[in-house]
Amino acid sequence: NAGVTQTPKFQVLKTGQSMTLQCAQDMNHNSMYWYRQDPGMGLRLIYYSASEGTTDKGEVPNGYNVSRLNKREFSLRLEPAAPSQTSVYFCASSQDGGTGNTIYFGEGSWLTVV
Amino acid sequence: AQSVTQLDSQVPVFEEAPVELRCNYSSSVSVYLFWYVQYPNQGLQLLLKYLSGSTLVKGINGFEAEFNKSQTSFHLRKPSVHISDTAEYFCAVEDDYKLSFGAGTTVTVRA
């Protein structure tokens, strides 16, 4: 049961570099999300995709871009990376957002920007 | 937009003692409410959720939560905790296609 798979799990970047976090789900879900987790702040939504072909900004979109490549895949790009983007990133998916469906999370990507 | 307040950032508790984690939300409309658990170095997994109906919701691992509309609360309880319940717990409310999370409550269970 793969569920939501995100890569890489760990990454160290230099300020100004670019990188893409990859995410794929095998549950045929329509909605996908990217969150970041920082100590004492819970999880904050960066971007989401309610369905294939659509993306929308969440609470903290600045400094990020996303691509819903197809129904399975939703990538997050940092370009350029900044130290403030040091965080743990979680990709998630649900059958359909806004209906009380369970959101399933990946295991996280630990990103450090130096 | 919804907001979620978890009233305790850290809750130490002895093994086999009860625990209650408090959560309040702001909303003027019907909501869907969730509790998620995060074990160290892992992603989040669903403990339970309230969509409608009975205000007492039972979840996995012996947890339950009570929805109180008048007090806009959704507190999580477990009558007897185990060492393995040591984790961070997040309350969340669904708003317009997405979840808004509280800051989290770290539960540390001691023998």
Side-chain angles (χ1 to χ4, degrees), chain A residues 9 31 33 35 37-38 40-45 48 50 57-59 88 90 94 96-108 110, chain B residues 6 9 32-34 36 38-46 48-51 88 90 92-104:
Chain A
K9 193 167 178 70
S31 300
Y33 314 83
Y35 285 89
Q37 182 178 24
D38 302 290
M41 302 187 75
L43 279 79
R44 293 179 293 167
L45 184 67
Y48 67 102
K57 294 179 180 179
E59 185 182 352
V88 184
F90 288 97
S94 68
D96 291 291
T99 56
N101 285 313
T102 299
I103 293 183
Y104 295 86
F105 286 82
E107 300 218 332
W110 275 254
Chain B
Q6 291 185 241
S9 60
Y32 301 130
L33 294 158
F34 302 77
Y36 279 82
Q38 184 181 31
Y39 299 105
N41 299 316
Q42 294 186 26
L44 280 72
Q45 58 181 281
L46 182 71
L48 48 80
K49 62 182 176 181
Y50 172 79
L51 303 182
E88 191 161 17
F90 292 95
V93 58
E94 187 167 37
D95 170 28
D96 191 25
Y97 289 94
K98 50 198 181 291
L99 284 183
S100 296
F101 286 87

Side-chain angles (χ1 to χ4, degrees), chain A residues 3-106:
Chain A
V4 179
T5 304
Q6 49 182 115
T7 57
K9 193 167 178 70
F10 300 98
Q11 184 73 49
V12 178
L13 280 180
K14 292 183 179 178
T15 298
Q17 287 185 318
S18 301
M19 81 157 296
T20 300
L21 298 177
Q22 307 285 356
C23 175
Q25 51 90 10
D26 62 2
M27 296 174 281
N28 201 36
H29 284 169
N30 291 312
S31 300
M32 296 186 73
Y33 314 83
W34 275 105
Y35 285 89
R36 62 177 287 172
Q37 182 178 24
D38 302 290
M41 302 187 75
L43 279 79
R44 293 179 293 167
L45 184 67
I46 305 171
Y47 270 92
Y48 67 102
S49 171
S51 61
E52 185 179 358
T54 69
T55 61
D56 287 285
K57 294 179 180 179
E59 185 182 352
V60 289
N62 291 344
Y64 304 95
N65 283 300
V66 290
S67 296
R68 185 73 183 266
L69 304 169
N70 48 56
K71 191 171 185 179
R72 288 187 64 247
E73 299 173 286
F74 188 40
S75 63
L76 178 72
R77 185 160 180 84
L78 288 70
E79 185 177 42
S84 60
Q85 294 176 309
T86 293
S87 187
V88 184
Y89 291 85
F90 288 97
C91 179
S93 71
S94 68
Q95 183 58 50
D96 291 291
T99 56
N101 285 313
T102 299
I103 293 183
Y104 295 86
F105 286 82

Side-chain angles (χ1 to χ4, degrees), chain B residues 62-90:
Chain B
F63 284 93
E64 62 182 32
E66 185 150 21
F67 170 61
N68 187 317
K69 187 175 182 178
S70 63
Q71 297 185 6
T72 60
S73 68
F74 190 53
H75 299 335
L76 180 72
R77 301 183 185 98
K78 184 169 181 177
S80 176
V81 296
H82 303 291
I83 297 288
S84 59
D85 292 321
T86 293
E88 191 161 17
Y89 293 80
F90 292 95

